[in-house]
Amino acid sequence: MSSLTEKIIRAHLVECQGQTPSATPAELTRGKEIAIKIDQALTQDATGTMTFLEFEAMDIPAVKTDVAVSYVDHNMLQTDFRNPDDHLYLQSVAARFGAYYSKPGNGICHQVHLERFSAPGKTLLGGDSHTPTCGGAGMLAIGAGGLDVAIAMGGGPFYFEMPKIIGVRLVGKLPEWSAAKDVILEMLKRLTVKGGVGKIFEYFGPAVKTLSVPERSTITNMGAELGATTSIFPSDETTYQYLKMQSREHLWVETHGDERDSDYDEIIEIDLSKLEPLMAKPHSPDMVVPVKELKGTKVSQVIIGSCTNSSFRDLMTVATIMKGKKVHPNVSFAVVPGSKQVYEQIARNGALADLISAGARILESACGPCIGMGQAPSSQGVSVRSFNRNFQGRCGTPDAFVYLTSPEVCAACALTGEITDPRELGQVPKIEWPERLAIDDSMIIPPPADKQSVEIIRGPNIKPLPEMKPLENAFTKEVLIKVGDNVTTDHIMPAGAKILPLRSNIPAISEFVFSAVDPKFVARAKEKQGGIIVGGDNYGQGSSREHAAIAPLYLGVKAVITKKFARIHKANLLNFGILPLTFIDPQDYDKIEQGDVLEIGGIISAVNNGGVIQVKNVTKGYEFSTKCDVTKRNAEMLLAGGLINLTKNATKTVAMGIGQ
Ligand code: MIC
Ligand code: SF4
């Protein structure tokens, strides 16, 4: 008897606290390291070029997961040679090593993966924080740094700390005009952006059957904003119908937990019938309030899209609301279909014409405005989006105000030009689902039979990884920057139309580290020849981008001291040999200032023993204690200067766990 999460983990368990699991069921102690076998891997272009460069460095002839897909969906503007260079590299490297290649235009990785590859009961590791989207189809789907994905593609297991399993019991039924988005916004309201750190949310209960798979996926997708390791739904009759519609019903298996309260570390209950339309205010996904509280706020832009809400269900809902009506004159209204499949369907059934006629600007199927690739709002503009992240500046306009909400609320705002509760619109749209779709996978290129003969194409935008040095036992360095709680990887290493195309070029992208937070950071880091970053709680939340570790490393950052790290970012720091330290007494955070010189010694033995490291604040003349909370495996790679260095040693495959 156990939760669904534990069942899937046990079926994939490769290592538990350093031991190979034996016939007796292993104790899945919360917070202790486990390793699981990965069945499927996904990459996307913005993190994927690094991932494949790392994969190449491993000298493994072909990917070993059952399925590996290289998607192109982030860097699509092609304003110069950089993006197309990346695309060519990704297409050729996927063919060379046996991964599928999803061409630009085929859609957002998570939406396409859900449609075409998701398989209940299987594990998926993706180089993108919203990989849990496929949890809506009963997969244990986890986002990770690119190097961890490269290792999984090479057949190595994925190591992580066993999270707590939180059961989310859903009861009741969503009222008219409330949506799955309101379920996850309610979770964010209750738990905040750090409430899911070290946790997996497992949804269960009588209301699960009232939600379609894309609706479930909206919820699991945005579990990333809670900081959760992942979120998962059971696989049931609804999952079967979804897979049947995709002509993939042969992959269906029924999966569920035993739904006893004792199977979970904690239970949260949400009565769907009590949920009203909700909205997250600027500049954090947990600033959630009822839409009616914001009624009347003038809106200049509305966008439907992103991996959270761009499914057939979402676009049909919006098209049905907009049919025969016109977008408000002061609103720029954009629609970004999540995949070619969705786009083609709404084109064939006429819904696209309804959207165009209403005044929508239709964009190609991609991440687009969600990651600041176009459609930046005007100065101080108010943008209402069906997306998942509204960190300040992410949209491309630093002083714009981005609100996150359901497609229903977006449509209502587009029509009225102000924040509007959709319940004012009257009759709720009814969506007809096709029983089966005409499937066209022509934009997913399978690997060729003669992989070995494929030549990998490397344009000038593809630069090799910088060299990493073994960890020093002691150093004295300045605090280059001190930041507060919930700092995101978008703050550390921004994206957007100007910076995203540099993802394959670490020297070039490192010029933008912390650029929106402190434009002088890079010059200071160079002048001081590196230093230390001090952060608050949940440091490094958000995106999985490794660049938030590699680019600071390139600038000479040796240690990051925080109150607490977000999961993926800490793993990325370890993978690239930056020392992650946490304050033992959080009050020591308050005493440090930017510019303080810190002396850190006795590092090697402390890292080896998972111990305490004393830090001397030379400027202010006091000492404080920090903890380097790492496993034996982490310690080895930290000392070697990161996982790539470790694997360059003779013990290559053993260090990665590949072939075990
Ligand atoms: C995001 O939504 O922030 C991204 C862009 O998809 C990132 C990945 C990246 O930085 O390339 C993510 O969520 O991991
Ligand atoms: Fe793309 Fe936005 Fe989803 Fe990230 S959150 S994968 S940028 S659509």
Side-chain angles (χ1 to χ4, degrees), residues 44 73-74 108-110 128-131 133 221 225 305-308 310 366-372 387-389 394 500 543 545:
Q44 47 89 338
D73 54 0
H74 282 63
I108 306 173
C109 56
H110 309 303
D128 191 281
S129 65
H130 289 103
T131 302
T133 312
N221 169 287
E225 277 49 70
S306 91
C307 53
T308 315
S310 58
C367 300
C370 177
I371 191 58
F387 301 178
N388 48 36
R389 289 187 174 145
R394 180 176 159 105
L500 208 55
S543 148
R545 62 193 71 151

Side-chain angles (χ1 to χ4, degrees), residues 132-419:
T133 312
C134 283
M139 290 189 97
L140 193 76
I142 303 178
L147 187 48
D148 286 329
V149 178
I151 288 167
M153 289 197 299
F158 174 60
Y159 287 86
F160 62 117
E161 284 170 14
M162 177 64 205
K164 286 189 177 161
I165 302 170
I166 313 300
V168 187
R169 184 188 290 115
L170 300 180
V171 299
K173 190 172 181 306
L174 284 172
E176 289 194 340
W177 293 108
S178 291
K181 186 65 159 272
D182 298 312
V183 178
I184 189 63
L185 288 175
E186 173 68 19
M187 290 283 285
L188 279 153
K189 184 170 137 211
R190 290 193 199 178
L191 302 179
T192 81
V193 289
K194 57 183 186 194
V197 178
K199 296 175 185 167
I200 292 180
F201 292 97
E202 180 172 318
Y203 291 83
F204 71 105
V208 164
K209 62 176 180 304
T210 67
L211 299 169
S212 65
V213 167
E215 288 175 305
R216 297 173 188 183
S217 288
T218 291
I219 297 170
T220 59
N221 169 287
M222 219 175 154
E225 277 49 70
L226 292 164
T229 302
T230 190
S231 306
I232 188 167
F233 272 83
S235 161
D236 56 8
E237 175 60 25
T238 308
T239 322
Y240 176 80
Q241 291 306 334
Y242 179 79
L243 290 173
K244 186 171 166 207
M245 187 173 74
Q246 296 287 342
S247 294
R248 299 197 300 112
E249 64 269 35
H250 59 283
L251 291 174
W252 181 77
V253 284
E254 189 178 5
T255 55
H256 55 80
D258 297 309
E259 305 206 350
R260 296 173 316 170
D261 286 8
S262 56
D263 295 334
Y264 302 108
D265 294 297
E266 209 182 294
I267 304 258
I268 295 174
E269 182 165 299
I270 299 191
D271 182 351
L272 302 194
S273 61
K274 298 225 167 75
L275 292 181
E276 59 178 320
L278 297 171
M279 199 173 229
K281 296 192 295 178
H283 298 286
S284 179
D286 58 1
M287 301 273 291
V288 176
V289 294
V291 172
K292 63 175 190 254
E293 272 183 27
L294 300 165
K295 183 180 157 65
T297 307
K298 296 284 175 245
V299 167
S300 51
Q301 182 187 59
V302 175
I303 314 184
I304 312 284
S306 91
C307 53
T308 315
N309 276 119
S310 58
S311 64
F312 174 73
R313 177 255 167 225
D314 294 329
L315 267 62
M316 284 306 294
T317 303
V318 175
T320 314
I321 297 171
M322 308 295 282
K323 188 175 176 142
K325 305 197 175 86
K326 298 291 172 202
V327 170
H328 189 275
N330 296 342
V331 174
S332 167
F333 175 56
V335 176
V336 198
S339 66
K340 170 178 176 285
Q341 184 185 92
V342 172
Y343 205 167
E344 192 173 335
Q345 260 181 289
I346 62 167
R348 290 193 188 283
N349 72 11
L352 180 62
D354 295 333
L355 288 167
I356 295 170
S357 160
R361 303 168 66 177
I362 312 291
L363 308 184
E364 69 175 323
S365 292
C367 300
C370 177
I371 191 58
M373 299 300 272
Q375 303 285 319
S378 58
S379 294
Q380 302 196 348
V382 171
S383 179
V384 174
R385 300 174 168 205
S386 70
F387 301 178
N388 48 36
R389 289 187 174 145
N390 59 347
F391 309 138
Q392 187 158 20
R394 180 176 159 105
C395 61
T397 307
D399 63 356
F401 302 94
V402 176
Y403 293 74
L404 308 172
T405 191
S406 67
E408 286 83 338
V409 178
C410 287
C413 299
L415 291 174
T416 61
E418 54 185 48
I419 294 185

Side-chain angles (χ1 to χ4, degrees), residues 490-494 498-499 502 507-516 521-522 551 555:
D490 275 272
H491 292 107
I492 306 168
M493 187 69 265
K498 189 164 139 204
I499 308 174
L502 305 173
I509 205 168
S510 68
E511 294 292 324
F512 296 90
V513 174
F514 279 120
S515 54
F521 176 85
V522 173
L555 295 172

